[in-house]
Amino acid sequence: MSVSRRGGSRGTAVLGAVAVVAAAALATGVASADASTTGASSTYLVVYKEKTSTSGAGSAVAAAGGQVVATYAPISVVVARSASPDFAAKMRRVTGVEGAVATTRFATAVDGGAVPADTAAATTTQTTANGAALPGLNDSLSGLQWDMTQIKVGEAHAISTGDPSILVGDIDTGLDYTHPDLAANVDSGASANCVSGVAEPGAAAAADDNGHGTHTAGTIAAAANGIGIVGVAPNVKIAGIKAGNAAGFFFPEAVVCSFMWAADHGVDVTNNSYFADPWLFNCRNDAEQRAIWTAERRAIKYAQNKGVLVVAAAGNQADDLSHPTLDATSPDDTNPVLRTISNACAVVPTEVPGVVGVSATGNQQMKSFYSSYGISAVDVAAPGGDSILQLTPAAPNGRVLSTWPAALLTVTCLPARRLVDASGATYCYQQGTSMASPHAAGVAALIASVTGDTGGALAADLQRATNPIACPADVSPYAFFPGVDDGAAQRCQGGRGQNGWFGSGEVDALKAVG
């Protein structure tokens, strides 16, 4: 991100490519003929009433001037394409349909963690390790991983490095399946490209063309192989589930597809370092927002019912998600409109029931200056970096180091943040709740490895595997970083054992496996 704490540019979100329809039917839905042959110009979500059959969707969509791209029967949602300007209106009149909305102009951006003053010139890259790597963190760049030291990953690895039977689905911009620190752990069969709204299987299809997904994947599961960095759970398998395009935008149909894919392909934990919704705060009294919100919530619930633990970043707006008053960010196109909101409006996936929301900390175990928070939204905290308030000898630039595609190093990683291992493997420093969430997802994978727990039980385990951090007595360091949307001063609500800034506390990998 270059202009906001939320991530992504403020340019109009456009669909990066014509929908690609898989030849085989999905386990969760049926893919139809290639939508590119119809001249369709817009993608739509058609949301039927819950538990309503979608068996007649093909005929209804055709009669309205469109074509089905995918049918997700278990959640009564259809993805369609149409060039007809009144397609949505016609579909809303179909018996059993509760909402239909075009998604072409709606997209959300990856949660990148930069701020206006956060430029390459103001950054110093650490290029040599401070002393020897800790036991259990013995790769060539492990001495730069202050984040792993902070949550006791080295000590945890003396007990468990994760079980290969555990699969983490990284719903992101894909991942570089050829990266030397990731290749051994990538599960190609469980990887897919969902950008079009229907899954195109395979790690090659899910290749990262942005960099963000490779970074989060490395934090979760970079191999302990002597080179570069080590992930929180370097022995688990990771699937790249590509929902974000090259520009880092996530369209609603891609998010729905991603959770349905994860649910039906053995994923134990998903990491979600983005806002899965076109509106930062999604209000149920708006027909368009409600249709997309409903489709995404259903897909998340479907995955949760299959035992998938959903871990999500809280966001980089410095906003109190539990007490929202204004939204100045939405819609995420060229014309955001300031609007008054309330708790009737929610952030997806962070505020979906059962999702583990993650705030970010820096190397002094304070909340990162940019991290959003909320007593009802944040369950745990994890290292995400802080380039302003928490610079230390161990973290002189404040950021988190992780894997980055070699082909994109000089394209999407700023010069002062690049790092190349002696082996030639490439890495990049980043900060954000995007970086915090995969730490928590990795710790959850370690817990699943040693306990076999899934879903809600795993979420409870994760919230217990933390070190409580009390609300700070002095919040004056945050005075210069008011909420992006409402301009309010940051405040911390709650006690040491559970509060809006840190949830139950910062994750602890050693507690997770101990």
Side-chain angles (χ1 to χ4, degrees):
M1 146 186 132
S2 59
V3 296
S4 79
R5 291 181 201 148
R6 182 180 178 201
S9 72
R10 289 290 182 230
T12 302
V14 295
L15 189 61
V18 175
V20 178
V21 182
L26 295 176
T28 56
V30 179
S32 72
D34 191 340
S36 66
T37 63
T38 69
S41 59
S42 296
T43 300
Y44 292 82
L45 283 182
V46 179
V47 182
Y48 283 75
K49 294 177 182 177
E50 195 164 14
K51 298 182 180 179
T52 297
S53 172
T54 55
S55 60
S59 298
V61 168
Q67 183 176 26
V68 171
V69 174
T71 300
Y72 295 104
I75 61 170
S76 302
V77 171
V78 172
V79 179
R81 295 277 292 173
S82 178
S84 173
D86 58 355
F87 175 79
K90 288 180 178 178
M91 288 306 302
R92 292 188 197 108
R93 293 194 289 268
V94 173
T95 301
V97 171
E98 71 173 49
V101 58
T103 68
T104 306
R105 72 181 181 92
F106 289 137
T108 59
V110 291
D111 195 359
V115 290
D118 185 18
T119 64
T123 326
T124 301
T125 297
Q126 184 177 6
T127 57
T128 58
N130 286 338
L134 296 177
L137 295 176
N138 298 313
D139 284 8
S140 58
L141 300 178
S142 290
L144 304 179
Q145 293 187 274
W146 63 267
D147 51 315
M148 299 299 177
T149 301
Q150 185 160 302
I151 62 171
K152 301 184 180 69
V153 170
E155 294 96 318
H157 287 179
I159 301 171
S160 175
T161 54
D163 191 302
S165 68
I166 299 301
L167 177 62
V168 179
D170 196 22
I171 300 178
D172 212 301
T173 61
L175 58 78
D176 179 4
Y177 63 95
T178 68
H179 195 288
D181 245 350
L182 293 173
N185 291 335
V186 174
D187 186 330
S188 182
S191 298
N193 185 331
C194 270
V195 169
S196 70
V198 62
E200 181 182 355
D208 188 4
D209 49 9
N210 175 278
H212 190 272
T214 299
H215 197 280
T216 56
T219 295
I220 297 166
N225 55 6
I227 66 168
I229 65 163
V230 179
V232 176
N235 243 18
V236 305
K237 295 300 182 182
I238 190 159
I241 305 177
K242 183 176 175 61
N245 62 22
F249 287 106
F250 291 67
F251 288 88
E253 64 270 21
V255 174
V256 170
C257 169
S258 295
F259 279 105
M260 300 302 288
W261 175 269
D264 289 327
H265 287 82
V267 171
D268 298 289
V269 180
T270 63
N271 178 65
N272 301 269
S273 292
Y274 58 92
F275 287 124
D277 215 65
W279 298 74
L280 173 58
F281 292 96
N282 198 305
C283 302
R284 285 159 280 188
N285 59 352
D286 179 279
E288 287 188 344
Q289 294 172 55
R290 183 171 62 251
I292 295 171
W293 175 77
T294 299
E296 291 176 338
R297 280 177 58 102
R298 285 185 192 172
I300 292 169
K301 183 179 179 181
Y302 179 76
Q304 291 171 328
N305 287 343
K306 289 292 189 80
V308 179
L309 174 64
V310 181
V311 179
N316 299 338
Q317 302 287 97
D319 283 335
D320 184 349
L321 302 183
S322 297
H323 302 92
T325 58
L326 293 173
D327 180 1
T329 300
S330 306
D332 189 13
D333 57 16
T334 54
N335 299 300
V337 178
L338 181 66
R339 58 183 182 143
T340 301
I341 58 173
S342 69
N343 282 326
C345 306
V347 177
V348 179
T350 305
E351 295 189 280
V352 171
V355 172
V356 175
V358 187
S359 64
T361 57
N363 194 217
Q364 294 180 346
Q365 294 182 300
M366 299 161 52
K367 187 185 77 67
S368 302
F369 67 91
Y370 54 80
S371 181
S372 290
Y373 56 94
I375 190 69
S376 63
V378 169
D379 298 293
V380 300
D386 187 328
S387 62
I388 295 180
L389 297 180
Q390 300 181 68
L391 302 181
T392 67
N397 65 25
R399 296 181 176 82
V400 173
L401 182 67
S402 191
T403 45
W404 203 262
L408 298 177
L409 188 66
T410 61
V411 180
T412 56
C413 180
L414 293 177
R417 301 184 195 171
R418 301 169 190 162
L419 194 57
V420 180
D421 180 77
S423 69
T426 49
Y427 304 84
C428 185
Y429 282 99
Q430 296 286 291
Q431 71 173 355
T433 56
S434 278
M435 287 64 248
S437 184
H439 285 88
V443 170
L446 288 180
I447 296 171
S449 297
V450 298
T451 67
D453 286 347
T454 63
L458 184 55
D461 293 340
L462 178 59
Q463 290 172 72
R464 285 191 292 267
T466 57
N467 294 312
I469 303 175
C471 286
D474 178 13
V475 296
S476 62
Y478 299 89
F480 296 101
F481 310 103
V484 170
D485 289 273
D486 61 10
Q490 297 197 49
R491 58 177 181 168
C492 186
Q493 177 184 6
R496 179 177 175 82
Q498 188 73 39
N499 60 63
W501 280 22
F502 306 103
S504 64
E506 187 178 60
V507 295
D508 185 318
L510 182 58
K511 282 187 176 181
V513 299

